[in-house]
Every structure is written in C-alpha cells, then in structure tokens.
Amino acid sequence: MHKSAARYLIFFQYTGTKYSGVMKTAADQAVEGVENHLESAVRKLKPVNEVSVVISSRTDTGVHALCNSAHVDIQRRGDKPPLLEQDLVDALNFHLKAEPIRRLNIDAVQEAAALLLGTHDFSTFRALSSDTPFKNPVKTLEKAQLNPGVSFSQRHFHRDIQFWELTFKSRSFLYRQVRRMTGALVAVGQGRLSVRQIQELLEARDSLAFPQNLTAPAHGLFLTNIQYRETDLGACRLAEQ
C-alpha cells in the first residue's frame, strides 16, 4: 500500500426504504444500493486509487440498519498524509447528507382532517370489494388527529428525523378507508390536494372518484386499540347465560 494510502473501517446507518439493499447495483438500475452512495461520497474526496467499499453485512431491499460497517482504502494525492479519522467522518457525512424532505403543511392537514370528523357517507374513501354491496358506507369518525410522533429509530439514529402520527378513531371502518384518508391528508400536506378537494371527495360519495395512486401503503399503519361499550359486554353476558 502506498505511503499516503490508508485503510479505514467505517460504521454507518441508513433507512433502507428507497434502496435496493446495501449492496451496489449496476449503473442502469433504477434503484441504487447504499454502497453506491458510499462510494460516490468517497470519490468526492478525490482519492488517487479506484474506490471500492467492502460491506461487512448484507441487507435486503427496504431493510434499515442502525449499525453496519465497511472498509475502504483511500490514497491521497502527492505527499498528503492520510485523512484523520474525524476529518473523514465529517467529509463523508457532508457528502452523504440527504436532500431535505418537504415538510408537511400541518395546518392544512388539520383543517382537512376536521372535514372528515362526524357522521358521513364515506363511499369515496372505501375501495371496492365483494362486500361493498352489503356494507353501509355511513360511518362516524370520532377522531382524525395529527401529532408529532416518537419512533424507535429516533432513539437510535444519530440525526433528527421528524415523525408524525395520524390517528383515526371510529366504531368501524370501511375497506381501506383508513389508508385512503391517510393518503388524501398527506397529499393535502404536500400541496398535491387542496382542503376544498377533500370536501369535494367526501361529497362525491363515489369510490371511483378517489384519485389513483393516492392510497397510503399498508406499512406504517397500526391497529392500536379495541374498545367495548358496557352495553356490548352486557349483551355478551346475557348470551352466555
């Protein structure tokens, strides 16, 4: 190894949602691996040698890592000494800095969510299924609330990641109603839908009026609680006697 070259062991974290996994992918691939981004960051340090990051542990598409590691050789130009550890950390973090995510318009989301509260015909916010003809589309939404959330990853990732929790409460929901409401409200927060359009969707009472590709994905949704009324429990006890 050249006298100005050094081998570094680096530790790194990532959220794998937008990656094909940790391993490098070909240049013509639509979705890149984490390794592609690491090597790109090292190249921006302008080393003399060809950059090759050797990953220690493989992770699949969508998998996150609180701690993975890799080693890489970096040879600097001329007689420049090897990079100090903290200088390398700072430089890689700078070049790996993610593009800022567009913050939600919280006021608009809350205004739109308020339109969904109460008793409505939620036909637009249900997906069609074999049960559709037999289900009453009128539901009473008791809660539609957006609050800052606390995630497991916030306690482990070394950066400030903002999470928001959208909570719905109802006696029951229609098929994919929660996912459609979630997708619509997020679209309002991002400026892709207006508050007025939420009202128009509600008034349309037509499942086919819901915009395509707006339904929120299933991951990230939690069933948090089941509650019973005393009258419901009393009816069960009578049935048992």
Side-chain angles (χ1 to χ4, degrees), residues 34-206:
V34 175
E35 186 179 351
N36 295 74
H37 293 271
L38 284 173
E39 289 192 350
S40 177
V42 175
R43 289 191 189 96
K44 290 177 180 177
L45 305 181
K46 299 181 179 180
V48 175
N49 60 305
E50 183 177 346
V51 174
S52 178
V53 173
V54 182
I55 305 291
S56 68
S57 184
R58 185 181 189 125
T59 56
D60 294 332
T61 300
V63 176
H64 315 308
L66 295 176
C67 182
N68 202 341
S69 66
H71 73 260
V72 61
D73 296 333
I74 298 178
Q75 179 182 337
R76 305 187 74 192
R77 297 182 182 278
D79 294 327
K80 290 184 177 180
L83 285 165
L84 297 177
E85 293 177 6
Q86 191 58 50
D87 290 341
L88 177 63
V89 170
D90 293 340
L92 290 181
N93 280 335
F94 176 80
H95 292 301
L96 288 169
K97 187 180 298 180
E99 295 182 5
I101 299 173
R102 182 172 56 179
R103 285 281 152 246
L104 289 178
N105 183 335
I106 302 304
D107 291 339
V109 174
Q110 291 175 335
E111 184 180 352
L115 296 175
L116 301 176
L117 289 172
T119 303
H120 305 282
D121 183 327
F122 282 97
S123 292
T124 303
F125 291 91
R126 72 171 171 186
L128 297 177
S129 70
S130 58
D131 291 337
T132 298
F134 311 104
K135 296 288 186 179
N136 186 349
V138 177
K139 298 290 180 183
T140 299
L141 190 64
E142 300 175 33
K143 179 186 290 186
Q145 187 173 312
L146 183 69
N147 290 311
V150 178
S151 168
F152 161 81
S153 61
Q154 281 182 297
R155 297 191 293 269
H156 297 277
F157 278 98
H158 300 296
R159 56 172 294 191
D160 180 24
I161 302 177
Q162 181 66 67
F163 286 85
W164 290 92
E165 292 182 352
L166 187 58
T167 305
F168 298 108
K169 180 180 179 181
S170 178
R171 185 172 175 83
S172 62
F173 294 99
L174 298 168
Y175 181 53
R176 291 192 178 172
Q177 179 187 347
V178 171
R179 289 173 59 183
R180 284 196 171 196
M181 291 190 299
T182 299
L185 293 180
V186 170
V188 169
Q190 294 175 333
R192 294 185 290 135
L193 283 181
S194 66
V195 175
R196 181 188 178 97
Q197 285 175 298
I198 296 297
Q199 183 66 47
E200 292 172 351
L201 288 173
L202 193 60
E203 294 173 353
R205 301 174 184 175
D206 179 5

Side-chain angles (χ1 to χ4, degrees), residues 11-49:
F11 296 90
F12 55 98
Q13 302 176 317
Y14 50 89
T15 52
T17 306
K18 296 184 178 180
Y19 299 113
S20 65
V22 72
M23 305 306 292
K24 182 165 61 176
T25 59
D28 59 350
Q29 293 288 97
V31 182
E32 293 186 320
V34 175
E35 186 179 351
N36 295 74
H37 293 271
L38 284 173
E39 289 192 350
S40 177
V42 175
R43 289 191 189 96
K44 290 177 180 177
L45 305 181
K46 299 181 179 180
V48 175
N49 60 305

